[in-house]
Amino acid sequence: MFDLPLAFASPWVLSALIGLPILYYFLRMMPPRPRIYIFPPLMLLRDIITPQQSAQTTPWWILILRMLIAAALIIAVSEPVLFPLQPVSGAHQGPLVVMMDDGWTSAASWQSRRAFALAHIDRAEEEGRSVALVPLSDAGHEIIMSDAAHGRERLNGLSPRSFLPDHALFKSHLRAITALYPHAHIVWLSDGVGGYGAEEFAAALDDAVSHADVSAEIVRDECVPPLIEGVSNPVEGFDVAVKSFCALSPAPSFVRALDIKGRVMARVPFTALAHQMTHVRVALPLELRNDVARIELENVASAGAVWLLDDHSHRARVGLVSDEAYDSAQPLLSASYYITKAMQPFADVRYERDDISHALDNLVRDHPALIVLADIGALNTQSYGLMDDYVRKGGVLLRFAGPHMLASADDLEPVRVRRGGRVMGGALSWEQPKHIAPIDSTSPLFGMRVPDDVLVRQQLLAEPDVGLRSATWVALEDGTPLVTAKKIGQGMIVLIHVTADTTWSNLPLSGFFLDLLHRISDEAVRVSGPSQDQPPLVKPEVHQSPLLLAPFRILDGFGVLGAPPASAHALSFDFNGPVSVEHPAGYYGTREGMKALNVLMPATTIEELDLTPFHLTRASLHAPAPIDGRGFLLSLAFILLLCDGIARICLSSAWRPRWAMLALMIVALMSFGVHEGRAQMRDKPMPTEFYEAALSTHLAYVVTGDGKVDSTSRAGLMSLSRALAARTSLQPADPIGVDISRDELSFFPLLYWPIVANRPQPPAQTLDRVARFMRQGGTLIFDTRDALSQRAGYVTPEGQWLQTMLTGMDIPPLQIVPANHVVTKTFYLLTHFVGRTSVGESWIEALPAPSDKMDITPVRAGDNVSPLIITSNDLAAAWATDAYGAPLYPLIPNDERQREMALRGGINLVMYVLTGNYKADQVHVHDLLERLGH
Amino acid sequence: MKERELPAHHQVALDGAQHNAHRLATFFPPLIMSARALAAQLAQGVHGRRRAGAGDQFWQFRPLYMGESVASIDWRRSARDQHFYVREREWEGAHQVFIWVNRSATMRFRSDDNLPSKEERALVLALALSDLLVRGGERVGLMGMSPALSTRRIIEHFAQCFETQSEAARHAPLPPAYAPHGSRAHFVILSDCLSPLDELAACISALAQQGARGHVLLVHDPIEETFPFEGHVELSDVGNIEHMRFGDGAAVRQRYIERFERHRDDVDQLCRAQGWSCARHRTDRAAAHALLSLQMHMAGDAAMDAFYMRDVSGLDV
């Protein structure tokens, strides 16, 4: 009768609806009783009132109201259910086989799939059938029937993988199952993606349905989630190719660019239409673009919506050769300086200062996209051959003019050059320096903005041949070329007719120079193509033998980077195969040099699975859940009863109390609504004691609950604060004891935490707060105070406590404070940190290893302040003095000088935390060198 | 909107002596006091009807006129001095006022606890009127309960008569048909006259047979005049026997008021037809107002009677 999928659990109750007309009759005849008043002259009324008028009928709307109430109650008792689960037809009562697609294409709707499978498993359990749950990535095992509990366990243990499994491997298993269990019911939770053997698998299922007596259904999502097919890095910004399979919702979706730490650097909206490739431009400044580590689609939890970037996608490789003799003391006079500086944002410039032929040899071996010759005149034969070869095979050669080229040149040039350039604006010339003319439309550089402050005083001229016009990319005002280029073989030679330094023009000083070089290098990358670019993907100086890269971080099916699973193997640096179980998508290598492997190869596409040739039952994943109508109907009946009560009040003829009763009832009703709707979170107002904390710097200690330790911490930090006030420019206020689980930690740069082994471990929320504190730049000093009881191979209770606490947290690798760490030099020059004892070691975040043997600095620092420092000498006890300055605790090697050193260590720590690593600069290098005996 | 303490439909059930004793203890003293106060309010303007006339009581001695019969000389007085005196008797017409108060169930109704019930108001008016009349020299009696008297303590006496009135008499909605009266009697009927008109007409004409004059005071409750009911309402009569339900009282109001006025006008017509007068009183108005109008009507009647009497009394009967 209705189109609504409505079912009743007790439909026989609905027969009570027949009683509604009888109810109507009674309600009509028995109107509600009004108040009775005594009226002596009633007999007078008898004469004037006709019986018709005196008979009272119920108003029609009360009738309808009451009948609605009765109807609602009757229907509610019959338990209506909207969208009931369809029962399986009786013929197929065999076991249930649920085959789940668990590649990354099903990650976006993973929860619905799980819920769907769970619903089916539950129903199979109700009907007493055996169940098998088969993930399609696991083709190695046969399908074994078991009970629903095992099926659910298996289901809970599944998560989407970051590769697409081959469905064709399951054909034999399918045959086995259909042979064993003729009445099986197979449910295939498909991801809707074709390829990878899905069509063959569907054909096998179809076969099984038609020839054997199994029933099968395919359950699919309405559409495959969108994915990123490729990212390129042209001049204007990242170009992200997004493929979407169905129209996304009208709200714009976003493409996000994230850096290595997961911070969002750009967020670009785009709208995608169905079955289309959309190119989204993510514009970022050049300097920031190299920090981008991944590009992903927002709110799509799938590995296909993530594209990992590594160095390879960032920068072009450029080799630079010049034979200047300028030393690094006068960098602004050397052409290589300008070129390197200009190309650094977008290219890796490798500068060879060797003899030219050796230099060229080295460079070419690297297969750079672009080789720049800064004022090299004629090349010798061997180099000429090398360069010629390089260009013909698809390399780009960029030459700058200069005195050498003026004197002698070879014909590795785009145009014929006239020896003897032109000088303008000199003492004996009559011409003015020229500006650059606007670029005309035939040039590949058309569209670049030409500045009007570039003046060319001297240039290399070209012979006015026929092809000069077409070879000119940029010309000066009078038509003489500034940049010319010519294709040779698969590559190109570009000549800039001025020097790369400022002697001939001020071009290197302008932004136009950068843009020009960037465009040229982009052209180079485009021309050279990926086949030419077969580089060592990690810097050779980092990996001495870069043959195999170990997995570093692996992407799981949801697109989240995590630790590599056991099945991931190392790959070679020139691996360019598809992802698989052994080589899942993610980063390989080390933090300095990573290779990214993405789920999609550059040339592969994903298409939807076409199910039309198969006669399989199709179902949708997102069938609406069954809705119980009872609650709705009962509340409707209740509301109608309330309305009826109000109606009675209105109809009764109480003179004065009528409006009062009505108002009372309305107020009572409103009080129902008042208590709901307060679920929104409100910001807690800050307790007033922390106004104080925000207004000045306080040293803070964590209240451990042990009274002696807390009072020691307080006294110690108090005397440290006094020492800081006396000796440095910092004027901290009194130290504050902080309850680590409740108080706001962001006011304190430094948190001193003395470890007490017998206190309970902090709960997970507290650990989250601590982690957040450290992530936001705070520093925790853990003081285990057990230096005397430490032995090799034995973990003290405090150490155990600290280890347990820090196990779940993301802390950086630690090392013992090296003697040249900046923390030992920030105020006083120290060697190590002492407290009440002096034998314990202090641990701090590990610094990156010194990168270059040449630039070893006397003081090393990392980029950030270390988020934690672990020490085992009891620092607070050494600092603690009473109000008069007399020390409270004796020191272990009873040396008062040690107390002074402890105080100095504390001052250094505070200074380190507050100022970071600025002390690692070169300002004090002479003093430092003296002290360190260099 | 209810009876004193009991709803109307309980009223008729409670007829025992206990109930009467309760009523007697609490009901009359305040009535007596209010009646006395009321009478005192208006007593100043009342003059005695003291003059000579035919009657039984001694009035005064007057000298003998020439030509008067010798038998009427009072020798005892005349022996005191040289002149002859005749005993003159008070003018005492057969002029008696009989009061009747309707104490049936419809009269015992009050619509608001601040208002007296119609019966109370009627009783107060009856007692006060009797006191005033006695002060003015009339003789007052209660129909069916007391002969015409003229004592000073008429209020207490009548109160006692009312108290000891029999139940049957109390429930009568109409005055008793046979009332012993002289040739000149005044009837004062204090009632709401909610009986059917024909019965009322029969009663009044029975009373007015021998030329007796009368005065009817219609005592009503304010709701009987205004009909203030709104909306869905059910009305019952005082015996809780008849019920009538209305969907909207406001719609009925106008018609009821017209009907009520018509009824009262009919009663008025009835009275006028017999030469009686009729007045209206509402229990929320001042009792003094009604009493004054009553008294003026009575005075008017007396003046008329006196006029007639002078013609007749010249014969000195």
Side-chain angles (χ1 to χ4, degrees), chain A residues 303-352:
Chain A
V306 171
W307 191 270
L308 299 173
L309 300 172
D310 56 13
D311 293 337
H312 176 64
S313 52
H314 290 165
R315 303 154 85 97
R317 233 159 331 275
V318 171
L320 173 61
V321 178
S322 109
D323 60 351
E324 309 151 325
Y326 296 113
D327 58 14
S328 60
Q330 290 178 303
L332 292 177
L333 294 179
S334 70
S336 56
Y337 175 80
Y338 289 100
I339 297 174
T340 316
K341 268 278 175 281
M343 297 189 90
Q344 224 160 39
F346 52 84
D348 274 336
V349 180
R350 183 157 166 202
Y351 181 28
E352 290 285 341

Side-chain angles (χ1 to χ4, degrees), chain B residues 185-230:
Chain B
H186 266 242
F187 291 104
V188 178
I189 297 182
L190 302 160
S191 164
D192 56 4
C193 295
L194 288 179
S195 337
L197 270 179
D198 43 0
E199 291 174 22
L200 212 56
C203 185
I204 291 179
S205 52
L207 289 175
Q209 258 173 17
Q210 291 159 21
R213 294 289 191 70
H215 188 75
V216 172
L217 181 69
L218 294 174
V219 181
H220 285 288
D221 200 85
I223 65 160
E224 293 171 3
E225 268 189 35
T226 59
F227 199 79
F229 303 105
E230 298 271 350

Side-chain angles (χ1 to χ4, degrees), chain A residues 200-447:
Chain A
E200 283 140 25
F201 185 74
L205 258 186
D206 198 23
D207 206 33
V209 167
S210 44
H211 295 292
D213 197 17
V214 297
S215 74
E217 60 175 326
I218 298 186
V219 182
R220 288 200 298 182
D221 211 344
E222 286 106 29
C223 63
V224 181
L227 42 91
I228 295 185
E229 286 212 341
V231 171
S232 62
N233 189 2
V235 181
E236 303 85 26
F238 288 113
D239 181 53
V240 183
V242 177
K243 179 154 187 191
S244 62
F245 290 93
C246 50
L248 301 171
S249 62
S253 328
F254 289 92
V255 170
R256 293 202 299 193
L258 299 137
D259 71 354
I260 193 81
K261 294 202 174 169
R263 294 182 288 219
V264 177
M265 301 187 72
R267 192 162 167 262
V268 176
F270 73 99
T271 39
L273 305 167
H275 297 286
Q276 255 195 26
M277 183 83 69
T278 316
H279 285 267
V280 184
R281 169 80 49 79
V282 179
L284 275 178
L286 286 174
E287 298 74 32
L288 291 180
R289 227 184 287 171
N290 290 333
D291 290 337
V292 174
R294 53 192 257 167
I295 295 193
E296 61 181 23
L297 296 176
E298 196 174 74
N299 290 336
V300 179
S302 149
V306 171
W307 191 270
L308 299 173
L309 300 172
D310 56 13
D311 293 337
H312 176 64
S313 52
H314 290 165
R315 303 154 85 97
R317 233 159 331 275
V318 171
L320 173 61
V321 178
S322 109
D323 60 351
E324 309 151 325
Y326 296 113
D327 58 14
S328 60
Q330 290 178 303
L332 292 177
L333 294 179
S334 70
S336 56
Y337 175 80
Y338 289 100
I339 297 174
T340 316
K341 268 278 175 281
M343 297 189 90
Q344 224 160 39
F346 52 84
D348 274 336
V349 180
R350 183 157 166 202
Y351 181 28
E352 290 285 341
R353 258 184 288 200
D354 221 344
D355 164 49
I356 292 181
S357 25
H358 287 153
L360 285 174
D361 270 337
N362 290 343
L363 284 180
V364 169
R365 229 201 326 248
D366 261 351
H367 301 282
L370 179 67
I371 290 186
V372 183
L373 298 179
D375 191 27
I376 306 286
L379 293 170
N380 66 17
T381 330
Q382 188 200 357
S383 308
Y384 181 91
L386 199 60
M387 282 292 102
D388 195 42
D389 201 37
Y390 169 77
V391 172
R392 277 178 205 285
K393 288 223 184 88
V396 172
L397 182 62
L398 172 64
R399 300 188 75 164
F400 279 90
H404 295 264
M405 271 199 91
L406 210 49
S408 63
D410 47 36
D411 56 358
L412 264 179
E413 291 150 2
V415 292
R416 246 177 351 124
V417 163
R418 187 187 286 191
R419 306 293 154 210
R422 175 169 73 159
V423 180
M424 286 173 282
L428 295 177
S429 77
W430 56 88
E431 288 187 41
Q432 298 296 319
K434 295 276 185 279
H435 294 272
I436 303 181
I439 304 174
D440 75 357
S441 50
T442 54
S443 154
L445 299 181
F446 176 63

Side-chain angles (χ1 to χ4, degrees), chain B residues 144-155:
Chain B
M145 279 191 289
S146 159
L149 301 170
S150 175
T151 91
R152 283 216 149 207
R153 298 183 58 77
I154 190 85
I155 291 185

